[in-house]
Amino acid sequence: MAAPLGPRANEGGGWPEQGGAGPGARRLATALLFLAAVALPCLVLYRAVAPGGVLVQPAARLPWLQAGAPPHDDDDVDLVRTCMQESDSEDVRLERVLRAAAMANDTVILTTLNSAWAEPGSMVDVFLESFRVGEHTRELLDHLVIVSLDLAAHRRCKQIHPHCLAVATEGVDFSGQKNFMTDGYLRMMWRRIDFLRQVLEKGYSFIFTDTDIVWLRSPLPRLYAEGDFQIACDHFTGDPDDVLGNAPNGGFAYARANTETVELYRYWYAARERHPGLHDQDVLNLIKADRYLAEVGVRIRFLSTEFFGGLCEPSRNLSAVCTMHANCCVGLRRKIADLTLILHDWRSFMSLRGPDKRSASWSVPRNCSLDKVEE
């Protein structure tokens, strides 16, 4: 927090006397210099309140200099006011949010959000609703941090959830829908990997979840007692230690904070240079059996699709499933439609009694398919 300004210049009232730099003038100059030092980073932030901007976007002009730019709203003014009061770095904000959301063992749940998925009635509402209707999941919302990748997503997060963190990416606009494997999509995925490394370096373990995953039961009991890094699968062979055969999906992962996982994420992020044009999941599939990771000593384990299912390989056991992912699905509206059906199926299942539960099944995928594109 910034220190308070010192005594006002010319405590007796009025402006300092003219004709020389007396004590009053010097106090005024000191105060103005201090104010300028505090205000400068806030002007940088103000550049981000232009419509569609991210929190640090040097190419954006100040809103009042843009021809025809609409007035900034109260949320934008609040962001600048907060900056003026605290002038905190992103690192300090990260530490504060993680500490507020952490479980007793310093574990947090993380998801990322951009404006396309943050709109009312869009993906984030389905995601949060699943926590409310799931079994022993509502209390996990206290440990969920929503990481906003643009200003619109951050505004919406503050309206619907207590733990929000705005993460800046210099020169990149993550607002709007990012279609699968476009340049914007790849940048967003790799920004996520780099951010997760920072969380581990701060000593916090995490469960990362994509926002297009519904939480139906607490997954905590289904995580392995042993394993530094545990990840869901598009295809699970039945062996959690089958590094070559299992096909990982980066949409759900648990990482224990230690030097091994920090090095895994650092190596993973660096590997994007050796495999240009691939997203993080494909790169992980290529490097997961690298000798270097074995030398680091990180233990990678794969989560069963019986408990961590998805549209690629749905869990067939509604009495055991913890999460369902709208993977193998292209298009925001199709994802929302099928995830909404999953929640409907879940409510119907929870209303059943006794033997009727054993015959329950999913009504999805209905709208999702890899050969379909968003209209």
Side-chain angles (χ1 to χ4, degrees):
M1 183 181 301
L5 294 175
R8 291 176 300 176
N10 191 9
E11 293 284 358
W15 294 102
E17 296 180 1
Q18 299 181 5
R26 285 195 295 272
R27 285 196 294 269
L28 177 61
T30 301
L32 289 174
L33 286 172
F34 180 84
L35 181 61
V38 173
L40 182 59
C42 299
L43 288 176
V44 175
L45 173 62
Y46 222 144
R47 296 166 75 173
V49 303
V54 292
L55 285 188
V56 177
Q57 191 172 358
R61 299 173 62 197
L62 294 175
W64 55 81
L65 296 181
Q66 296 185 11
H72 47 267
D73 60 22
D74 291 341
D75 286 333
D76 299 333
V77 174
D78 287 343
L79 283 175
V80 176
R81 184 179 294 117
T82 298
C83 176
M84 292 291 289
Q85 292 172 346
E86 299 181 0
S87 296
D88 287 344
S89 67
E90 183 176 297
D91 185 72
V92 171
R93 293 195 304 271
L94 173 59
E95 176 67 36
R96 184 169 58 242
V97 172
L98 293 176
R99 188 185 309 117
M103 303 176 194
N105 63 353
D106 286 339
T107 299
V108 293
I109 303 169
L110 302 170
T111 194
T112 52
L113 186 68
N114 74 344
S115 60
W117 287 32
E119 294 177 359
S122 190
M123 190 68 75
V124 71
D125 290 332
V126 179
F127 174 70
L128 293 177
E129 178 64 14
S130 73
F131 281 83
R132 299 184 187 107
V133 303
E135 197 170 71
H136 305 300
T137 50
R138 181 181 288 269
E139 56 266 31
L140 296 179
L141 286 171
D142 294 337
H143 308 294
L144 171 68
V145 175
I146 297 179
V147 181
S148 309
L149 299 177
D150 59 71
L151 185 63
H154 191 56
R155 285 198 206 104
R156 182 80 205 291
C157 180
K158 292 195 299 179
Q159 294 169 1
I160 61 177
H161 190 66
H163 304 305
C164 304
L165 178 71
V167 172
T169 302
E170 189 170 331
V172 181
D173 182 2
F174 285 136
S175 62
Q177 182 177 339
K178 299 296 181 247
N179 292 325
F180 186 67
M181 291 307 295
T182 60
D183 182 65
Y185 173 88
L186 294 175
R187 285 172 176 263
M188 192 161 61
M189 293 300 100
W190 286 114
R191 178 64 180 99
R192 181 176 81 184
I193 297 301
D194 193 41
F195 170 77
L196 293 176
R197 172 192 55 79
Q198 296 172 27
V199 173
L200 292 171
E201 287 180 337
K202 286 193 164 295
Y204 290 90
S205 303
F206 64 76
I207 298 172
F208 176 82
T209 173
D210 273 346
T211 319
D212 62 342
I213 292 179
V214 290
W215 286 48
L216 306 175
R217 286 187 180 87
S218 172
L220 301 179
R222 298 298 184 179
L223 297 175
Y224 305 116
E226 301 294 330
D228 302 304
F229 177 72
Q230 304 175 32
I231 188 166
C233 298
D234 285 339
H235 170 67
F236 181 65
T237 65
D239 178 1
D241 297 309
D242 184 2
V243 175
L244 293 177
N246 286 312
N249 184 297
F252 187 97
Y254 166 74
R256 181 175 287 115
N258 55 35
T259 57
E260 290 81 8
T261 53
V262 169
E263 188 57 29
L264 166 65
Y265 271 86
R266 183 178 291 113
Y267 183 71
W268 188 358
Y269 185 71
R272 78 195 189 286
E273 303 286 352
R274 292 187 281 121
H275 305 285
L278 297 183
H279 64 70
D280 59 306
Q281 185 173 301
D282 283 343
V283 171
L284 176 63
N285 209 32
L286 291 171
I287 68 171
K288 62 187 180 182
D290 280 7
R291 178 179 296 178
Y292 177 73
L293 293 180
E295 294 172 352
V296 167
V298 60
R299 186 175 184 186
I300 300 175
R301 306 197 77 188
F302 299 88
L303 299 167
S304 170
T305 51
E306 180 182 9
F307 308 118
F308 303 89
L311 299 181
C312 295
E313 195 169 284
S315 170
R316 302 299 179 187
N317 187 353
L318 273 70
S319 295
V321 64
C322 297
T323 62
M324 281 285 285
H325 188 184
N327 51 7
C328 292
C329 183
V330 175
L332 175 58
R333 284 178 288 175
R334 290 191 170 91
K335 285 176 177 282
I336 293 172
D338 271 10
L339 288 174
T340 301
L341 283 174
I342 288 174
L343 291 185
H344 178 270
D345 292 342
W346 173 254
R347 289 186 177 97
S348 298
F349 169 77
M350 293 300 289
S351 69
L352 298 175
R353 294 293 179 268
D356 292 336
K357 284 195 169 186
R358 289 195 290 270
S359 59
S361 61
W362 302 114
S363 60
V364 293
R366 183 180 300 178
N367 301 277
C368 286
S369 174
L370 282 177
D371 60 356
K372 295 179 180 178
V373 295
E374 184 74 338
E375 297 164 351

